[in-house]
Amino acid sequence: PQKVETITDKSHPDYVRWKSEAVIGSRAKRKRTCMTNREWALAQRRGNEASRSFVEANQAGFGGGNN
């Protein structure tokens, strides 16, 4: 059997992190998500890109010279 090494360096890309979020509509219920640092960084990057493209797409519709 191959020995598996435990990653203890919290900045390592393969270190596994749990994040807990409140569930909308519930005071006590929480949703736990588990991903590696690398996966968290990718999820954050994708979320930022989606937000940026949403804002850019909707900015063209505002202030169309009707002030």
Side-chain angles (χ1 to χ4, degrees), residues 34-54:
C34 174
M35 290 193 276
T36 64
N37 283 335
R38 182 177 295 139
E39 292 169 326
W40 283 114
L42 180 60
Q44 182 179 17
R45 199 169 24 245
R46 285 183 177 162
N48 288 343
E49 289 170 359
S51 297
R52 190 174 299 112
S53 66
F54 175 80

Side-chain angles (χ1 to χ4, degrees), residues 4-50:
V4 178
E5 228 177 281
T6 302
I7 300 170
T8 56
D9 179 10
K10 292 184 179 185
S11 64
H12 191 280
D14 293 327
Y15 183 81
V16 177
R17 292 186 182 269
W18 287 91
K19 291 193 181 178
S20 182
E21 303 176 68
V23 174
I24 295 174
S26 174
R27 291 184 185 201
K29 197 169 183 181
R30 305 206 44 93
K31 176 184 172 190
R32 290 186 65 188
T33 306
C34 174
M35 290 193 276
T36 64
N37 283 335
R38 182 177 295 139
E39 292 169 326
W40 283 114
L42 180 60
Q44 182 179 17
R45 199 169 24 245
R46 285 183 177 162
N48 288 343
E49 289 170 359

